[in-house]
């Protein structure tokens, strides 16, 4: 963990946080692949629809464990390290397990409203589902532009913040 005071660190820019999420999704593909393989091998799942809901619950827990472990140990997942972003409490301290778990649950606000709207409106095709998810994600990201510090809603509710570990470059002194 970088030993820099919380007051001196700027908030992570929205574009960096969104790029970090895309990279995180690619890394999580591997995590979910391995956890799905373990689940289906250990339970001798022969068909994808058998134990489907149990496997979804298992993978939800695996994702939660992944995020809570990284957030409580270093404040950074692998993708966050790449993008030099760190999760901290609003007062600059380290995030605890309860706060990290709550943040994980509330971070599903990115997707759940769009999924509920799609279900409520009877949208069943992949295209309609993809559009509703993209619209929901875009709306959630845009909401951060209205919140103090341009935080995401789940960070605001959990009293956490994402900071950029590398301070922006200082302007060169004026010559003359």
């Amino acid at each position: 963990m970088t030993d820099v005071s919380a007051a001196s660190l700027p908030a992570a820019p929205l574009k960096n946080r969104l790029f970090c999420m895309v990279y995180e999704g690619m890394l999580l593909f591997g995590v979910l692949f391995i956890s799905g393989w373990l689940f289906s091998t250990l339970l001798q799942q022969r068909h994808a629809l058998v134990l489907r809901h149990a496997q979804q619950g298992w993978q939800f827990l695996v994702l939660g464990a992944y995020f809570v472990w990284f957030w409580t140990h270093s404040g950074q997942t692998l993708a966050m390290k790449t993008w030099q972003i760190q999760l901290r409490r609003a007062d600059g301290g380290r995030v605890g397990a309860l706060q990290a778990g709550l943040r994980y649950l509330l971070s599903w606000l990115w997707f759940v409203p769009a999924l509920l709207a799609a279900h409520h409106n009877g949208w069943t095709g992949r295209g309609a589902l993809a559009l509703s998810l993209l619209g929901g994600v875009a709306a959630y990201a845009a909401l951060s532009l209205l919140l103090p510090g341009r935080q995401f809603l789940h960070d605001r509710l959990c009293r956490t913040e994402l900071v950029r570990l590398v301070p922006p470059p200082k302007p060169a002194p004026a010559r003359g």
Side-chain angles (χ1 to χ4, degrees), residues 18-176:
L18 294 175
F19 284 134
C20 182
M21 285 176 52
V22 171
Y23 185 43
E24 194 80 67
M26 290 188 292
L27 295 174
L28 289 176
F29 177 80
V31 171
L32 292 176
F33 178 83
I34 297 296
S35 71
W37 175 78
L38 280 172
F39 180 91
S40 61
T41 300
L42 294 175
L43 295 178
Q44 298 182 359
Q45 183 184 24
R46 304 279 185 228
H47 191 279
L49 295 179
V50 174
L51 299 173
R52 177 180 60 158
H53 297 297
Q55 185 173 20
Q56 289 171 343
W58 163 251
Q59 291 189 328
F60 180 79
L61 292 175
V62 167
L63 285 177
Y66 170 88
F67 283 112
V68 168
W69 192 86
F70 277 109
W71 290 339
T72 57
H73 283 77
S74 65
Q76 297 176 288
T77 62
L78 298 174
M80 292 167 79
K81 286 180 184 181
T82 301
W83 284 93
Q84 299 174 332
I85 294 172
Q86 186 178 53
L87 177 69
R88 294 187 174 183
R89 290 192 328 239
D91 66 6
R94 183 177 276 192
V95 175
L98 194 60
Q99 193 174 24
L102 179 62
R103 184 178 191 270
Y104 169 70
L105 291 174
L106 290 176
S107 70
W108 285 94
L109 289 172
W110 279 94
F111 309 106
V112 171
L115 292 172
L116 289 174
H119 177 72
H120 178 70
N121 292 316
W123 299 336
T124 56
R126 286 184 183 153
L129 184 59
L131 282 175
S132 68
L133 279 175
L134 286 174
V137 167
Y140 195 84
L143 177 62
S144 73
L145 299 174
L146 303 174
L147 294 173
R150 297 194 169 197
Q151 297 179 61
F152 293 130
L153 179 60
H154 59 277
D155 281 317
R156 184 100 170 115
L157 294 172
C158 294
R159 295 187 177 112
T160 57
E161 62 183 3
L162 293 170
V163 294
R164 187 165 176 234
L165 289 180
V166 177
K170 295 179 182 176
R175 295 184 185 193

